[in-house]
């Protein structure tokens, strides 16, 4: 019989499609040396019994206790790691003022590697404790501190995709916090890419460099063009903010006489490995361009409620074939939890559909067919993010990576309201999605290794 490095037994929830959650009741998950799920086995088969006979009782056999369930690890497609230092503050002012008054000053402090280490260790630990096994990070303009973030992800076992942020436009960025000039910005980015690729050679779960123009206003045309070329040359991921706020969207219209999507495309910045945050103002042409180029949207529902005053039409974008994942946007979004963001995604979509302007007659409020279900929000936080990154993550299924959270619904200190024997598993899934707190996340695994435990 094939030798597996680990075998897990228990009930799991995993997205089958954006709308459907598959319930794998009491399955066996057989993990190989690479940390991949090589085989899933349903109960009641001969193979199941044979596997149980040979693995049960071994130290590499893990059976869930009563009240515990597997979920895939979350994929956070948009986190500003340095902004963890200001999470929860200053959310009452517009984006432009927030950036200049609060965010650029705090990010400028990451020239100090001791400060950077404190914040980056905390944010990676916090995200892991919230079930986030893969994170797509913006760091700061500083090459060394950005590399430190990639090293910390590597050490702590998180799959980190990290970008050194490019901000070379002297008209839009303060002198104390920007790249020295365009040439330096591009040279630092290339050195950063090579250094992370070197680091990645010894990291089981993977770390990846990400070409990161902060957003169009912060970059010169030469930088945007150079970054598109670097991404193609080194076949890297690309991330940026796209059509986020009225102010930013209007700025790009004034500068290029087109929407962000087409402007970014002109510079080679929309491709299969691109993830664009927010995208509140995509029109249908923009959405089609995203679908054609394989560019994914990162939905940041908490942040959008504050900075964009907007609810992105997720259901409409899905109908256009655009890939969509979920992002916390720390600290534009205050919560490090994708559970919280999934809940907000559902609530925001309901407000969009049912209307919020009660001064209007009911039939004139809102946008029909906008609502998404908790199943769809779960998909965004898991499989949708994995598809956006073109990685085999976000599902508990064969040929996916074993990135998993063990949710404990029966802890005395954080008990979920499950009372009936044999309660329907889909109801338990919904209770987990709506009510879990970090206390309920008992263990977190990445690429077959345990990276967080509450016990
Ligand atoms: N646009 C440019 N920079 C930022 C940022 O740090 N956060 C958000 N939400 N939007 C941005
Ligand atoms: Fe952001």
């Amino acid at each position: 019989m094939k030798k597996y490095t680990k075998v897990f037994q228990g009930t799991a929830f995993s997205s089958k499609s954006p709308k459907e959650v598959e319930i794998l009741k009491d399955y066996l998950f057989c993990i190989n040396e690479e940390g991949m799920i090589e085989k899933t086995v349903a109960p009641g088969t001969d193979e199941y019994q044979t596997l149980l006979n040979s693995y049960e009782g071994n130290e590499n056999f893990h059976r869930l206790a009563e009240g515990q369930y597997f979920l895939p690890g979350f994929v956070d497609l948009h986190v500003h790691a340095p902004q963890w230092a200001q999470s929860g503050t200053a959310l009452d002012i517009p984006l432009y003022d927030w950036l200049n008054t609060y965010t650029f000053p705090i990010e400028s402090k990451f020239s100090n590697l001791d400060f950077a280490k404190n914040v980056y260790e905390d944010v990676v630990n916090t995200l892991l404790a919230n079930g986030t096994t893969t994170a797509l990070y913006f760091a700061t303009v500083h090459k060394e501190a950005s590399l430190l973030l990639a090293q910390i992800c590597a050490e702590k076992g998180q799959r980190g995709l990290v970008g050194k942020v490019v901000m070379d436009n002297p008209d839009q960025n303060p002198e104390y916090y920007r790249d020295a000039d365009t040439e330096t910005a591009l040279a630092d980015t290339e050195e950063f890419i090579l250094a992370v690729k070197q680091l990645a050679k010894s990291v089981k779960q993977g770390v990846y460099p990400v070409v990161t123009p902060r957003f169009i206003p912060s970059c010169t045309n030469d930088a945007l063009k150079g970054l598109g070329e670097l991404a193609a040359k080194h076949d890297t991921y690309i991330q940026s903010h796209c059509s986020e706020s009225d102010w930013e969207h209007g700025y790009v219209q004034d500068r290029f006489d087109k929407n962000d999507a087409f402007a970014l495309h002109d510079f080679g910045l929309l491709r299969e490995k691109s993830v664009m945050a927010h995208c509140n103002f995509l029109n249908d042409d923009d959405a089609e361009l995203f679908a054609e180029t394989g560019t994914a949207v990162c939905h940041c529902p908490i942040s959008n409620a504050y900075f964009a005053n907007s609810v992105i039409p997720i259901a409409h974008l899905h109908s256009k074939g655009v890939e969509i994942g979920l992002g916390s946007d720390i600290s534009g979004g205050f919560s490090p939890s994708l559970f919280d963001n999934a809940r907000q995604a559902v609530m925001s979509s309901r407000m969009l559909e049912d209307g919020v302007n009660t001064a209007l007659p009911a039939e004139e409020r809102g946008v029909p067919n906008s609502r998404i279900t908790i199943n769809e929000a779960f998909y965004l936080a898991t499989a949708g993010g994995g598809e956006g990154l073109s990685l085999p993550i976000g599902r508990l299924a064969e040929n996916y990576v074993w990135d998993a959270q063990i949710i404990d619904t029966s802890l005395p200190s954080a008990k979920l309201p499950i009372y009936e024997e044999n309660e329907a598993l889909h109801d338990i899934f919904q209770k987990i999605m709506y009510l879990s707190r970090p206390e309920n996340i008992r263990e977190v695994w990445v690429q077959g290794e345990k990276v967080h435990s509450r016990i």
Side-chain angles (χ1 to χ4, degrees), residues 24-263:
L24 304 155
K25 186 166 188 290
D26 224 6
Y27 265 56
L28 292 178
F29 297 87
C30 305
I31 315 302
N32 67 18
E33 257 181 16
E34 286 80 47
M36 306 288 291
I37 305 170
E38 191 160 317
K39 204 144 193 16
T40 61
V41 186
T45 57
D46 288 349
E47 193 180 6
Y48 193 87
Q49 205 46 55
T50 314
L51 279 162
L52 271 189
N53 291 345
S54 78
Y55 282 93
E56 223 173 357
N58 294 356
E59 61 172 13
N60 56 0
F61 182 77
H62 305 260
R63 187 207 307 273
L64 291 190
E66 183 105 357
Q68 298 179 1
Y69 300 89
F70 294 118
L71 289 188
F74 287 142
V75 181
D76 190 335
L77 282 189
H78 189 57
V79 190
H80 295 269
Q83 294 176 21
W84 179 237
Q86 64 172 12
S87 238
T89 63
L91 290 170
D92 295 328
I93 57 175
L95 177 66
Y96 182 86
D97 301 330
W98 176 82
L99 285 172
N100 285 288
T101 316
Y102 292 94
T103 304
F104 294 160
I106 195 95
E107 289 192 16
S108 72
K109 294 193 179 154
F110 286 70
S111 55
N112 177 333
L113 288 176
D114 291 332
F115 186 72
K117 185 164 184 282
N118 270 340
V119 178
Y120 285 163
E121 288 194 335
D122 274 356
V123 74
V124 174
N125 285 338
T126 302
L127 291 187
L128 284 173
N130 278 279
T132 296
T133 47
T134 298
L136 177 53
Y137 287 111
F138 277 57
T140 60
V141 297
H142 314 100
K143 185 181 57 184
E144 291 79 12
S146 303
L147 185 56
L148 180 64
L149 174 58
Q151 286 161 343
I152 289 170
C153 293
E155 275 163 28
K156 294 188 179 292
Q158 190 179 50
R159 187 174 302 96
L161 299 91
V162 180
K164 173 234 161 320
V165 176
V166 171
M167 304 167 58
D168 72 318
N169 184 357
D171 297 338
Q172 286 291 325
N173 304 303
E175 201 173 354
Y176 69 85
Y177 186 53
R178 65 185 184 221
D179 293 289
D181 51 46
T182 308
E183 216 173 275
T184 313
L186 294 174
D188 280 359
T189 299
E190 187 158 35
E191 279 175 40
F192 175 76
I193 291 169
L194 295 172
V196 176
K197 287 199 170 204
Q198 184 61 31
L199 171 67
K201 288 182 183 163
S202 58
V203 179
K204 185 178 179 191
Q205 77 278 12
V207 286
Y208 303 84
V210 186
V211 161
T212 306
R214 183 175 201 118
F215 62 161
I216 288 175
S218 63
C219 295
T220 61
N221 291 2
D222 285 347
L224 293 167
K225 180 165 174 287
L227 289 175
E229 287 164 2
L230 280 177
K233 177 174 168 194
H234 295 287
D235 189 24
T236 69
Y237 288 96
I238 299 174
Q239 61 182 345
S240 193
H241 297 86
C242 174
S243 291
E244 177 179 2
S245 67
D246 277 317
W247 166 75
E248 181 272 340
H249 188 64
Y251 169 95
V252 174
Q253 276 290 341
D254 288 347
R255 182 161 143 192
F256 293 114
D257 198 22
K258 50 181 82 165
N259 281 355
D260 289 39
F262 281 85

